[in-house]
Coordinates of all heavy atoms in Angstrom, one line a residue:
L1 N 135.0 128.0 25.5 CA 134.0 127.1 25.0 C 134.6 126.0 24.1 O 135.5 126.3 23.3 CB 132.9 127.8 24.1 CG 131.9 127.0 23.5 CD1 130.9 126.3 24.5 CD2 131.0 127.8 22.5
D2 N 134.2 124.8 24.2 CA 134.7 123.7 23.3 C 133.5 122.7 23.2 O 133.1 122.0 24.1 CB 135.9 123.0 24.0 CG 136.5 122.0 23.0 OD1 136.1 122.0 21.8 OD2 137.5 121.3 23.4
T3 N 133.0 122.7 22.0 CA 131.9 121.8 21.6 C 132.1 121.4 20.2 O 133.0 121.8 19.5 CB 130.5 122.5 21.8 OG1 129.5 121.5 21.7 CG2 130.3 123.6 20.8
S4 N 131.3 120.5 19.7 CA 131.3 120.0 18.3 C 130.8 121.1 17.4 O 129.9 121.9 17.8 CB 130.4 118.8 18.1 OG 130.9 117.7 18.9
N5 N 131.3 121.2 16.2 CA 130.8 122.1 15.2 C 129.5 121.4 14.7 O 129.4 120.2 14.8 CB 131.8 122.4 14.1 CG 131.5 123.7 13.4 OD1 130.5 124.3 13.6 ND2 132.5 124.1 12.7
G6 N 128.7 122.2 14.1 CA 127.5 121.6 13.5 C 126.7 122.6 12.7 O 127.0 123.8 12.7
P7 N 125.7 122.2 12.1 CA 124.9 123.1 11.3 C 123.9 123.9 12.1 O 123.3 123.4 13.1 CB 124.1 122.2 10.3 CG 124.0 120.9 11.1 CD 125.2 120.8 11.9
D8 N 123.8 125.2 11.8 CA 122.7 126.0 12.4 C 122.7 126.1 13.9 O 121.7 125.9 14.6 CB 121.3 125.5 11.9 CG 120.3 126.5 11.8 OD1 120.6 127.7 11.8 OD2 119.1 126.2 11.7
L9 N 123.9 126.3 14.5 CA 124.1 126.4 15.9 C 123.8 127.8 16.4 O 124.2 128.8 15.8 CB 125.5 126.0 16.4 CG 125.8 124.5 16.1 CD1 127.3 124.3 16.6 CD2 124.9 123.6 16.8
H10 N 123.1 127.9 17.5 CA 122.7 129.2 18.1 C 122.9 129.2 19.6 O 123.1 128.1 20.2 CB 121.2 129.5 17.8 CG 120.9 129.6 16.4 ND1 121.0 130.8 15.7 CD2 120.6 128.6 15.4 CE1 120.7 130.6 14.4 NE2 120.5 129.3 14.2
V11 N 122.9 130.4 20.2 CA 123.0 130.5 21.7 C 121.7 131.1 22.2 O 121.2 132.1 21.7 CB 124.2 131.5 22.0 CG1 124.3 131.7 23.5 CG2 125.5 131.1 21.4
W12 N 121.2 130.3 23.2 CA 119.9 130.7 23.8 C 120.0 130.7 25.3 O 120.9 130.0 25.9 CB 118.8 129.6 23.5 CG 118.3 129.5 22.1 CD1 118.8 130.2 21.0 CD2 117.3 128.7 21.7 NE1 118.1 129.8 19.9 CE2 117.1 128.9 20.3 CE3 116.4 127.8 22.3 CZ2 116.2 128.2 19.5 CZ3 115.5 127.1 21.5 CH2 115.4 127.3 20.2
I13 N 119.1 131.5 25.9 CA 118.9 131.4 27.4 C 117.5 130.9 27.5 O 116.6 131.5 26.9 CB 119.1 132.8 28.1 CG1 120.5 133.4 27.8 CG2 118.8 132.7 29.5 CD1 120.7 134.8 28.3
T14 N 117.3 129.8 28.3 CA 116.0 129.2 28.3 C 115.4 129.0 29.7 O 116.2 129.1 30.7 CB 116.0 127.8 27.7 OG1 116.7 126.9 28.6 CG2 116.8 127.8 26.4
D15 N 114.1 128.7 29.8 CA 113.5 128.4 31.1 C 113.5 126.9 31.4 O 113.0 126.5 32.4 CB 112.0 128.9 31.1 CG 111.1 128.1 30.1 OD1 111.7 127.4 29.3 OD2 109.9 128.3 30.2
R16 N 114.2 126.1 30.6 CA 114.4 124.7 30.9 C 115.7 124.5 31.7 O 116.7 125.2 31.5 CB 114.4 123.9 29.7 CG 113.2 124.1 28.8 CD 112.0 123.5 29.5 NE 110.8 123.8 28.7 CZ 109.7 123.1 28.9 NH1 109.6 122.3 29.9 NH2 108.6 123.4 28.2
R17 N 115.6 123.5 32.6 CA 116.8 123.3 33.5 C 117.9 122.7 32.6 O 117.7 121.9 31.7 CB 116.5 122.4 34.7 CG 116.1 121.0 34.3 CD 115.7 120.2 35.6 NE 115.4 118.9 35.3 CZ 116.2 117.9 35.2 NH1 117.5 118.1 35.4 NH2 115.8 116.6 34.9
S18 N 119.1 122.9 33.0 CA 120.3 122.3 32.4 C 120.3 120.8 32.7 O 119.9 120.4 33.7 CB 121.6 123.0 33.0 OG 122.7 122.4 32.4
G19 N 120.8 120.1 31.7 CA 120.9 118.6 31.9 C 119.8 117.9 31.3 O 119.7 116.7 31.5
G20 N 119.0 118.5 30.5 CA 117.9 117.8 29.8 C 116.7 117.5 30.7 O 116.6 118.0 31.8
D21 N 115.9 116.6 30.2 CA 114.7 116.2 31.0 C 114.8 114.7 31.2 O 115.4 113.9 30.5 CB 113.5 116.5 30.1 CG 112.2 116.4 30.9 OD1 112.2 116.5 32.1 OD2 111.2 116.3 30.2
C22 N 114.2 114.2 32.3 CA 114.2 112.8 32.6 C 115.5 112.1 32.7 O 115.7 111.0 32.2 CB 113.2 112.0 31.7 SG 113.6 112.0 30.0
E23 N 116.5 112.9 33.2 CA 117.8 112.3 33.5 C 118.5 111.6 32.3 O 119.0 110.5 32.3 CB 117.8 111.4 34.7 CG 117.4 112.0 35.9 CD 118.2 113.2 36.4 OE1 119.4 113.2 36.2 OE2 117.6 114.2 36.8
G24 N 118.4 112.3 31.1 CA 119.1 111.8 29.9 C 118.3 110.7 29.1 O 118.9 110.1 28.3
C25 N 117.0 110.5 29.4 CA 116.3 109.6 28.6 C 116.2 110.0 27.2 O 116.5 111.1 26.8 CB 114.9 109.4 29.2 SG 113.8 110.8 29.1
F26 N 115.7 109.1 26.3 CA 115.6 109.4 24.9 C 114.8 110.7 24.7 O 113.7 110.9 25.2 CB 114.9 108.3 24.2 CG 114.8 108.5 22.7 CD1 115.9 108.4 21.9 CD2 113.6 108.9 22.1 CE1 115.8 108.6 20.5 CE2 113.5 109.1 20.8 CZ 114.6 109.0 20.0
G27 N 115.3 111.6 23.9 CA 114.7 112.9 23.6 C 114.8 113.9 24.6 O 114.2 115.0 24.5
S28 N 115.6 113.7 25.6 CA 115.7 114.7 26.7 C 116.5 116.0 26.3 O 116.3 117.0 27.0 CB 116.4 114.1 27.9 OG 117.7 113.8 27.7
W29 N 117.2 116.0 25.2 CA 118.0 117.1 24.8 C 117.2 118.0 23.8 O 117.7 119.0 23.3 CB 119.3 116.7 24.3 CG 120.1 116.0 25.3 CD1 120.5 114.7 25.3 CD2 120.6 116.6 26.5 NE1 121.2 114.4 26.5 CE2 121.3 115.6 27.2 CE3 120.6 117.8 27.1 CZ2 121.9 115.8 28.4 CZ3 121.2 118.0 28.3 CH2 121.8 117.0 29.0
G30 N 116.0 117.7 23.5 CA 115.2 118.4 22.6 C 114.1 119.3 23.2 O 113.3 119.8 22.5
I31 N 114.2 119.5 24.5 CA 113.1 120.2 25.2 C 113.3 121.7 25.3 O 112.4 122.4 25.7 CB 113.1 119.7 26.7 CG1 114.4 120.1 27.4 CG2 112.7 118.2 26.7 CD1 114.3 119.9 28.9
Y32 N 114.4 122.2 24.9 CA 114.8 123.6 25.1 C 114.0 124.6 24.3 O 113.9 125.8 24.6 CB 116.3 123.9 25.0 CG 117.0 123.1 26.1 CD1 117.5 121.9 25.8 CD2 117.1 123.7 27.3 CE1 118.1 121.1 26.9 CE2 117.7 123.0 28.4 CZ 118.2 121.7 28.1 OH 118.8 121.0 29.1
D33 N 113.3 124.2 23.2 CA 112.5 125.0 22.4 C 111.0 124.9 22.8 O 110.1 125.4 22.2 CB 112.7 124.9 20.9 CG 112.3 123.5 20.5 OD1 112.1 122.6 21.3 OD2 112.2 123.3 19.2
D34 N 110.7 124.1 23.9 CA 109.3 123.9 24.3 C 108.8 125.0 25.2 O 107.6 125.0 25.4 CB 109.2 122.5 25.0 CG 109.5 121.3 24.1 OD1 109.5 121.5 22.9 OD2 109.8 120.3 24.7
G35 N 109.6 125.8 25.8 CA 109.1 126.8 26.7 C 109.6 128.2 26.2 O 109.7 128.5 25.0
D36 N 109.9 129.0 27.2 CA 110.4 130.4 26.9 C 111.9 130.4 26.7 O 112.6 129.6 27.4 CB 110.1 131.3 28.0 CG 108.6 131.6 28.1 OD1 107.9 131.6 27.1 OD2 108.1 131.9 29.3
Y37 N 112.4 131.2 25.8 CA 113.8 131.3 25.5 C 114.1 132.7 24.9 O 113.2 133.3 24.3 CB 114.3 130.2 24.7 CG 113.6 129.9 23.4 CD1 113.9 130.6 22.2 CD2 112.5 129.0 23.4 CE1 113.2 130.3 21.1 CE2 111.8 128.7 22.2 CZ 112.2 129.4 21.1 OH 111.5 129.1 19.9

């Protein structure tokens, strides 16, 4: 694993597809807490 460090990082398994929503449009990386995880 190699990612940026940051505050309050966690590991989840989610029902959202990898790659965000709407092909990278604004806000597409904030969807992962909208469903089951």
